[in-house]
Amino acid sequence: MKRKMTALAAAVAAGIILLSGCAAAEPAAEETTATTSAIDEAAAALLPEEYKDGVSVASDIPYAPMELFDENDNPTGFDYDLSQAIAAKLGVTFTFNDQDWDGIIPSLQSGTHDIIMSGMNDTIERQQVLDFVDYFNAGFAILVAKGNPEGITALADLCGKTVAIQTATAQIDLINAVNPSCDSKIEVLEFPTDGDAQNAIRAGKAVAGVNDGQVAAYTAQTAGDGAYFEIVNPADSPEGYTSVLTGVGVLKENRGLTEAIQAAIQSLIDDGTYAELLAKWNLSAFAVSEATINGTK
């Protein structure tokens, strides 16, 4: 769900090779070999030999509560915790690295990183380049100023208004799907980060933002100690946007790595670790019952 939709449809039309340019990654400060849970021998046996020395995770930080930095600038959040639990099941080290969103898929293609864990939506377009191990299920929510001064209750209420959204995200696709039904189109202001989009709402440059449900809820709860925003859960999402799977992104040619991660996540679901991590981040409502591959059809 981050979410996020790169400009992949255009890249596919022009040739997937155009994604080969890579944004420079900024390694996060923490590297952890998870040892708090027993290795799942069956899952570990699926891991290709080339990853026995470790797996590099690309993540666009922050995107709370999925990924953020703690007070010591170390990565934390649900995705980070899940990455370390997967590492424990596979008996290897997972390093969690800060990577700009626009360069996150190219960072896999260039070999800088191995997988993506960044609240990334499993979409049909992305499946042309990536396989997804789905571990999260949520939809979209509208973030509005506290008190909802514009009286926004549905996506249709955004017609003729301006919304602030992080660039290259699935939320922009959602607005594009809503616009054909509007007499006056929704204007989208795109920003490089989700925080910038939130600031635009606070500054009155936009009446609302659209975000993944769990991120919008976290923002409304924590920003200004709950004083800045509230959320609206729209009931009029277009077909294909009512529920969104989030997954670990792996290049399609790395099928062995995909299968090992799927087995590890399923093991975490089966032994209850997955549920514990969701509860820690108040995300239990977004659980999946099975770690599917490319569950979006």
Side-chain angles (χ1 to χ4, degrees):
M1 276 183 14
K2 201 171 182 181
R3 88 203 186 173
K4 295 181 162 186
M5 182 63 203
T6 61
L8 193 52
V12 169
I16 297 301
I17 296 300
L18 292 178
L19 287 175
S20 60
C22 177
E26 299 174 14
E30 180 137 320
E31 177 176 309
T32 303
T33 304
T35 56
T36 57
S37 142
I39 294 174
D40 185 307
E41 298 294 348
L46 295 172
L47 188 68
E49 188 65 32
E50 64 189 285
Y51 300 106
K52 298 292 186 180
D53 290 336
V55 174
S56 177
V57 183
S59 188
D60 181 22
I61 310 172
Y63 202 77
M66 305 303 284
E67 40 267 337
L68 60 157
F69 290 112
D70 65 17
E71 63 276 8
N72 297 315
D73 290 330
N74 291 322
T76 186
F78 177 70
D79 279 341
Y80 174 76
D81 285 352
L82 183 63
S83 78
Q84 300 310 298
I86 296 169
K89 288 294 184 183
L90 297 178
V92 298
T93 298
F94 273 40
T95 55
F96 212 76
N97 304 278
D98 191 12
Q99 170 66 56
D100 290 344
W101 183 257
D102 288 349
I104 206 163
I105 292 177
S107 79
L108 267 60
Q109 294 172 315
S110 69
T112 303
H113 303 302
D114 302 313
I115 66 173
I116 297 168
M117 292 188 70
S118 194
M120 178 174 269
N121 294 344
D122 172 358
T123 68
I124 297 299
E125 291 81 7
R126 289 188 180 128
Q127 286 178 20
Q128 296 179 64
V129 176
L130 303 175
D131 283 326
F132 287 92
V133 182
D134 300 313
Y135 63 88
F136 201 84
N137 189 19
F140 296 105
I142 302 170
L143 190 70
V144 298
K146 195 72 173 180
N148 195 3
E150 297 288 333
I152 304 297
T153 62
L155 288 165
D157 294 332
L158 299 175
C159 293
K161 296 180 171 63
T162 301
V163 300
I165 300 177
Q166 183 176 0
T167 191
T169 64
Q171 288 87 309
I172 294 174
D173 289 347
L174 170 61
I175 296 302
N176 289 337
V178 173
N179 262 331
S181 64
C182 291
D183 291 332
S184 180
K185 288 188 175 183
I186 303 166
E187 180 182 352
V188 177
L189 294 180
E190 296 187 34
F191 293 90
T193 71
D194 189 54
D196 292 333
Q198 293 169 25
N199 288 336
I201 301 169
R202 291 179 58 194
K205 296 178 180 179
V207 302
V210 181
N211 219 321
D212 297 329
Q214 81 281 12
V215 177
Y218 182 88
T219 299
Q221 179 184 26
T222 59
D225 292 328
Y228 296 150
F229 303 110
E230 60 186 74
I231 62 169
V232 174
N233 292 306
D236 61 339
S237 296
E239 182 68 26
Y241 291 92
T242 54
S243 181
V244 182
L245 286 168
T246 296
V248 179
V250 187
L251 289 177
K252 297 192 80 68
E253 56 263 34
N254 295 336
R255 187 68 179 186
L257 179 58
T258 299
E259 291 175 351
I261 290 172
Q262 179 193 32
I265 294 177
Q266 189 61 53
S267 181
L268 293 167
I269 292 172
D270 294 342
D271 71 12
T273 302
Y274 171 73
E276 291 174 3
L277 295 179
L278 286 168
K280 172 183 175 180
W281 293 99
N282 196 28
L283 297 173
S284 299
F286 304 111
V288 297
S289 59
E290 181 182 4
T292 56
I293 294 178
N294 298 333
T296 299
K297 306 298 183 184

